Amino acid sequence: MIPKPMWKPPPKAPREEPGTGANKKVYFVCNQPGKPWVKLPHITPEQIFVARRIKKLLTGRLDAPIHSYPPFPGNEANYVRAQIGRISAGSHISPNNYYMFGEEEEEEEGAVRDEFNKNEDYQPQPPRDMLDLGNWVHHVLHLLPQGRTRWWNPAQKNEEEFDEEEEEEEEREEPEAPQEEVGPPLLNPLSEDSEVDGVTPWSAFLSSRAVAQHAVAVVRSNLWPGAYAFAHDKDFENVYVGWGHKFKVDNYDPPMPPAPLEEFPSGPEITEGLDPTPEEEAAVKAEQEGAEGADDEEEEEEADEENEDDD
């Protein structure tokens, strides 16, 4: 009898609903001015997870396949959308106090706050003061290692899965509970961002030192080359012009494939035996018949002894 495997593939995290999390906004792309705009699909956590482990140059054809390892689940349109989501989550910033949470909104324990309003009473600071990274904040939620902005517990099961696995759980060892992933809160200042491989995440400077009264405060992302934010008076904006790749200290090396699985240990319980010869079959049959005859004789002798005792 072939043993039933107990291993099951880990569940895939579901995508965040349109209008929430990583799919809060919809993006359109085109190759050149005058061409029709094409709507990009929503992203899934798996696409974010794989996009972090590969580097591909774009061809401009949204239906082009992505040949990579690990395999990317989608075509170039999905890859472009995944990179846009990563760049937005990592480099979209705004002046401190430009946005604020609603006073009526109560923060529940463990809940992720993602709604904020524009501060109508916002008072801009001088450009030189905007060179302080503490005066800039993130206004897009961080993407967790899982590929979502809100952690999804892979250990949770619905009623159907619970009924199917109820009998198997007694034989199977209980896996360790997954550790919850927590990211930085929304409107977190840039000054609290930690270095990555010794690289400072941000650099701030003035657009002009010669004409300081008309200068614009500029913040450059060092992790996403080509991502900039600038502020002047009550206006600010984010812009990105780049290759869609995150900065890496070392040269990119494709990940090695996993090691081959070990074969099941050989043993008599799984080794196929040779068919017996007719002589061996006859010998085994004679031995079994002899053993059965001996058992019958013992039973007859015991019955005779019991009859004598009754007499």
Coordinates of all heavy atoms in Angstrom, one line a residue, residues 17 19 33 37 48 53 118 139 166 206 216 236 271 296:
E17 N -8.6 43.7 -2.2 CA -9.7 44.1 -3.0 C -9.4 45.4 -3.7 O -8.7 46.3 -3.2 CB -10.9 44.2 -2.2 CG -11.4 42.9 -1.6 CD -11.8 41.9 -2.7 OE1 -12.3 42.4 -3.7 OE2 -11.6 40.7 -2.5
G19 N -9.4 49.1 -4.7 CA -9.7 50.3 -3.8 C -9.2 50.2 -2.4 O -9.4 51.1 -1.6
P33 N 3.2 59.5 -26.5 CA 2.0 60.4 -26.5 C 1.1 60.2 -27.8 O 1.7 60.0 -28.9 CB 2.6 61.8 -26.5 CG 3.9 61.6 -25.9 CD 4.4 60.3 -26.3
W37 N -4.4 54.7 -24.1 CA -4.0 54.3 -22.7 C -4.5 52.9 -22.4 O -5.7 52.6 -22.8 CB -4.5 55.3 -21.7 CG -3.8 56.6 -21.8 CD1 -4.2 57.7 -22.5 CD2 -2.7 57.0 -21.0 NE1 -3.3 58.7 -22.4 CE2 -2.4 58.3 -21.4 CE3 -1.8 56.4 -20.1 CZ2 -1.3 59.0 -20.9 CZ3 -0.8 57.1 -19.6 CH2 -0.5 58.4 -20.0
I48 N 4.0 40.5 -6.3 CA 5.0 41.3 -5.5 C 6.1 40.5 -4.9 O 7.3 40.9 -5.0 CB 4.2 42.0 -4.3 CG1 3.2 43.0 -4.9 CG2 5.1 42.7 -3.4 CD1 3.8 44.2 -5.5
R53 N 12.5 39.5 -6.3 CA 13.6 38.6 -6.5 C 14.1 38.5 -7.9 O 15.0 37.7 -8.1 CB 13.1 37.2 -6.0 CG 13.0 37.1 -4.5 CD 12.1 36.1 -4.0 NE 12.1 36.0 -2.5 CZ 11.4 36.9 -1.8 NH1 10.7 37.9 -2.3 NH2 11.4 36.8 -0.4
K118 N -6.9 65.7 3.7 CA -6.0 66.9 3.5 C -6.3 67.9 4.6 O -7.4 68.2 5.0 CB -6.3 67.5 2.1 CG -5.4 68.7 1.8 CD -5.7 69.3 0.5 CE -4.9 70.5 0.2 NZ -5.2 71.1 -1.2
H139 N 2.9 58.6 2.8 CA 1.5 58.6 2.7 C 0.9 57.4 2.0 O -0.3 57.4 1.6 CB 0.9 59.9 2.2 CG 1.3 60.2 0.8 ND1 2.3 61.2 0.5 CD2 0.9 59.7 -0.4 CE1 2.4 61.2 -0.8 NE2 1.6 60.4 -1.4
E166 N -10.2 17.5 9.6 CA -10.4 17.2 11.0 C -9.9 15.8 11.4 O -9.3 15.6 12.5 CB -11.9 17.2 11.3 CG -12.3 17.2 12.8 CD -13.8 17.4 13.0 OE1 -14.5 17.4 12.0 OE2 -14.1 17.5 14.2
L206 N 18.3 71.8 -2.1 CA 17.5 72.8 -2.7 C 17.8 72.8 -4.2 O 18.9 72.5 -4.7 CB 17.9 74.2 -2.1 CG 17.5 74.4 -0.6 CD1 18.1 75.8 -0.2 CD2 16.0 74.4 -0.5
V216 N 13.3 75.5 -4.6 CA 12.3 74.4 -4.3 C 13.0 73.3 -3.5 O 14.1 72.9 -3.9 CB 11.7 73.8 -5.6 CG1 10.7 72.7 -5.3 CG2 10.9 74.9 -6.3
F236 N 3.1 70.3 -3.6 CA 4.1 69.3 -3.6 C 3.7 68.2 -4.6 O 2.6 68.1 -5.1 CB 4.3 68.6 -2.2 CG 3.3 67.5 -2.0 CD1 3.6 66.2 -2.2 CD2 2.0 67.8 -1.5 CE1 2.7 65.1 -2.0 CE2 1.1 66.7 -1.3 CZ 1.4 65.4 -1.5
T271 N 10.6 -2.1 -1.2 CA 11.3 -2.7 -2.3 C 10.5 -3.8 -3.0 O 9.9 -4.7 -2.3 CB 12.6 -3.3 -1.8 OG1 13.4 -2.3 -1.1 CG2 13.5 -3.9 -2.9
D296 N -5.0 -28.8 13.6 CA -6.2 -29.6 13.7 C -6.0 -30.8 14.7 O -6.9 -31.1 15.5 CB -6.6 -30.1 12.3 CG -7.0 -29.0 11.4 OD1 -7.4 -27.9 11.9 OD2 -7.0 -29.2 10.2

